């Protein structure tokens, strides 16, 4: 068995699949660190990583993986948004946002050539998502599973028509070529934001090939990259319009409504938790924290385990390094992060951590 992980750094998805499927081989693709990509923290004898820019791969044949993989994960990030932060809404750091990718330390020096390089920056992630579909479906076996991240803002009647129309066309393509499609939203991260995972099972490969969708998707990607107005996005995806029938559009509306309800629950839960006082049971005391492990990197590695309320750092009065306090909203989230730090050495071999409630005087960190 084999799986393909597009945008694999830092390696969380791949690590879990290798653990769950001891007979499987993994094939990952990620932008090299020297070009502004995220570091791959997972080194495994059954994982082969191809370092390149996904947008530079012209066809599935350029992937260094078998012709027919069982599972394809698509969770890449448009790193071009870091190059032009004025168009990024102030967002910084790791794989966050919609439909962006989770965890890992942020790249230090993004290359000017990194990312999609679309004319309209907000359309870059759309081009990247279709590129992932073109590459992944070209290597996915009949009956296989495709998982990708998407972001639905759920504004109801206030949603911009171009965004809804483009979403409908994208999901119509996926629904038409898989036996079952379901949304998934994590209980630990992204519960209250717009992003969620789409799990599509039972790939109808023959239908995909007969419709010549690989070439059509490639054309759509290029059209989106040079598109000059966001409102013209649906026109760039015209090749998918045939799948957006009245019945299919109704199914998509129901799916998006379910995602909206899950997000509403997540927002209400977050507001309740943040309104309550967080105790030391939900806090971690980490020491030592070397200066190269910045607070931004520390947050990127820990927030996959739960919502972080705040982080504080205190430099050691003597010597180098520092201590840090990380306050989660829930004790269970702090426990999950603590386990990862101690058992998998998430932050490094010489870094230890404890519950704040177990550290005498720990409340004084700050």
């Amino acid at each position: 068995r084999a799986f393909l992980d597009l945008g694999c750094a830092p390696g969380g998805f791949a690590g879990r699949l290798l653990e769950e499927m001891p007979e499987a081989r993994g094939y990952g693709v990620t932008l090299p660190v020297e070009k502004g990509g995220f570091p791959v923290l997972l080194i495994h004898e059954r994982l082969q990583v191809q370092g390149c820019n996904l947008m530079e791969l012209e066809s599935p044949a350029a992937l260094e993986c078998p012709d027919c993989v069982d599972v394809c994960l698509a969770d890449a990030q448009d790193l071009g948004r870091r190059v032009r932060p004025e168009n990024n809404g102030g967002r910084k750091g790791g794989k966050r946002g919609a439909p962006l990718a989770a965890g890992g330390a942020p790249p230090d020096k993004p290359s000017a050539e990194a990312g999609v390089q679309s004319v309209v920056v907000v359309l870059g992630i759309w081009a990247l998502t279709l590129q992932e579909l073109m590459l992944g479906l070209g290597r996915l076996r009949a009956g296989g599973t495709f998982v990708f991240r998407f972001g639905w803002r759920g504004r109801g009647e206030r949603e911009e028509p171009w965004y809804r129309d483009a979403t409908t066309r994208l999901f119509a393509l996926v629904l038409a070529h898989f036996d079952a499609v379901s949304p998934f939203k994590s209980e630990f991260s992204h519960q209250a934001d717009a992003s969620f995972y789409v799990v599509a099972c039972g790939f109808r490969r023959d239908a995909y090939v007969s419709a010549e969708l690989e070439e059509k998707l490639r054309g759509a990607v290029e059209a989106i990259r040079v598109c000059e107005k966001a409102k013209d996005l649906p026109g760039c995806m015209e090749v998918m319009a045939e799948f957006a029938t009245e019945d299919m559009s109704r199914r998509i509306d129901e799916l998006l409504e379910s995602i909206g309800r899950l997000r509403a629950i997540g927002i209400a839960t977050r507001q309740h938790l943040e309104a309550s006082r967080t105790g030391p049971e939900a806090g971690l005391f980490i020491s030592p924290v070397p200066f190269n492990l910045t607070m931004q990197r520390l947050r990127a590695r820990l927030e996959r385990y739960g919502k972080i309320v705040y982080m504080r750092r205190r430099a050691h009065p003597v010597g180098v390094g520092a201590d840090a306090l990380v306050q989660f909203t829930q004790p269970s989230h702090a426990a999950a992060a603590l386990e990862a730090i101690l058992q998998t050495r998430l932050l490094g071999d010489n870094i230890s951590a404890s519950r704040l409630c177990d550290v005498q005087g720990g409340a004084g960190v700050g």
Side-chain angles (χ1 to χ4, degrees), residues 169-223:
R169 293 185 177 188
L170 171 62
F171 275 82
L173 171 70
V174 175
L175 286 165
H177 292 88
F178 284 88
D179 293 337
V181 178
S182 303
F184 172 78
K185 215 161 173 50
S186 170
E187 295 180 1
F188 288 95
S189 60
H190 308 292
Q191 186 183 31
D193 65 23
S195 67
F196 65 98
Y197 287 100
V198 180
V199 182
C201 303
F203 181 42
R204 299 168 182 170
R205 184 173 180 81
D206 289 342
Y208 176 82
V209 173
S210 63
E212 300 180 343
L213 284 171
E214 179 182 320
E215 184 63 31
K216 293 176 180 177
L217 283 172
R218 186 182 298 112
V221 170
E222 291 307 312

Side-chain angles (χ1 to χ4, degrees), residues 304-338:
R304 74 187 74 171
Y305 300 100
K307 174 68 176 179
I308 296 175
V309 181
Y310 62 83
M311 299 175 63
R312 296 175 183 168
R313 182 187 185 109
R314 181 184 64 185
H316 290 165
V318 179
V320 298
D323 302 325
L325 183 153
V326 181
Q327 183 69 53
F328 289 88
T329 58
Q330 298 185 47
S332 61
H333 296 175
L338 179 62

Side-chain angles (χ1 to χ4, degrees), residues 135-153:
L135 294 172
L137 297 185
R139 281 290 185 255
L140 189 64
R141 69 166 176 81
T145 298
F146 189 89
V147 181
F148 69 100
R149 189 194 291 246
F150 189 73
W152 176 244
R153 300 181 293 193

Side-chain angles (χ1 to χ4, degrees), residues 53-355:
N53 186 335
L54 279 175
M55 299 304 299
E56 295 178 356
L57 301 181
E58 296 184 357
S59 74
L63 291 167
E64 298 174 358
C65 74
D67 290 340
C68 294
V69 298
D70 301 278
V71 178
C72 179
L73 305 167
D75 198 9
Q77 173 178 352
D78 178 12
L79 291 176
R81 294 177 70 91
R82 283 179 51 82
V83 177
R84 291 184 283 177
E86 70 275 9
N87 294 309
N88 194 27
R91 188 183 298 117
K92 299 180 180 180
K95 294 182 171 184
R96 302 184 64 191
L100 309 180
D108 292 322
K109 298 179 180 179
S111 167
E113 293 77 32
V116 178
Q117 295 297 303
S118 57
V119 174
V120 179
V121 177
V122 296
L123 297 185
I125 193 61
W126 287 87
L128 179 57
T129 299
L130 296 192
Q131 179 79 352
E132 290 175 318
L133 281 168
M134 185 272 290
L135 294 172
L137 297 185
R139 281 290 185 255
L140 189 64
R141 69 166 176 81
T145 298
F146 189 89
V147 181
F148 69 100
R149 189 194 291 246
F150 189 73
W152 176 244
R153 300 181 293 193
R155 296 177 176 175
E157 295 181 355
R158 297 182 294 108
E159 189 59 76
E160 295 171 279
W162 68 266
Y163 193 87
R164 176 175 285 277
D165 291 346
T167 299
T168 298
R169 293 185 177 188
L170 171 62
F171 275 82
L173 171 70
V174 175
L175 286 165
H177 292 88
F178 284 88
D179 293 337
V181 178
S182 303
F184 172 78
K185 215 161 173 50
S186 170
E187 295 180 1
F188 288 95
S189 60
H190 308 292
Q191 186 183 31
D193 65 23
S195 67
F196 65 98
Y197 287 100
V198 180
V199 182
C201 303
F203 181 42
R204 299 168 182 170
R205 184 173 180 81
D206 289 342
Y208 176 82
V209 173
S210 63
E212 300 180 343
L213 284 171
E214 179 182 320
E215 184 63 31
K216 293 176 180 177
L217 283 172
R218 186 182 298 112
V221 170
E222 291 307 312
I224 294 172
R225 292 177 77 173
V226 301
C227 181
E228 297 182 351
K229 297 180 180 179
K231 67 178 183 179
D232 294 334
L233 175 62
C236 300
M237 303 167 65
E238 186 63 31
V239 294
M240 309 175 193
E242 63 179 290
F243 306 111
T245 63
E246 183 176 346
D247 179 64
M248 187 69 79
S249 297
R250 184 164 52 250
R251 290 176 59 189
I252 295 168
D253 287 342
E254 292 174 355
L255 184 149
L256 295 176
E257 286 177 8
S258 69
I259 287 297
R261 289 193 294 270
L262 288 175
R263 187 186 183 198
I265 293 172
I267 291 174
T269 301
R270 182 173 66 181
Q271 291 174 341
H272 172 73
L273 291 172
E274 292 181 349
S276 62
R277 292 178 60 85
T278 52
E281 295 82 6
L284 294 183
F285 179 71
I286 302 172
S287 180
V289 179
F291 287 116
N292 62 352
L293 183 59
T294 64
M295 296 298 278
Q296 185 180 28
R297 290 180 174 180
L298 185 62
R299 175 180 289 273
R301 297 186 187 185
L302 294 180
E303 65 184 354
R304 74 187 74 171
Y305 300 100
K307 174 68 176 179
I308 296 175
V309 181
Y310 62 83
M311 299 175 63
R312 296 175 183 168
R313 182 187 185 109
R314 181 184 64 185
H316 290 165
V318 179
V320 298
D323 302 325
L325 183 153
V326 181
Q327 183 69 53
F328 289 88
T329 58
Q330 298 185 47
S332 61
H333 296 175
L338 179 62
E339 182 179 4
I341 295 171
L342 298 181
Q343 296 189 9
T344 69
R345 313 311 300 174
L346 176 70
L347 303 179
D349 292 333
N350 299 317
I351 298 177
S352 63
S354 303
R355 289 284 192 99

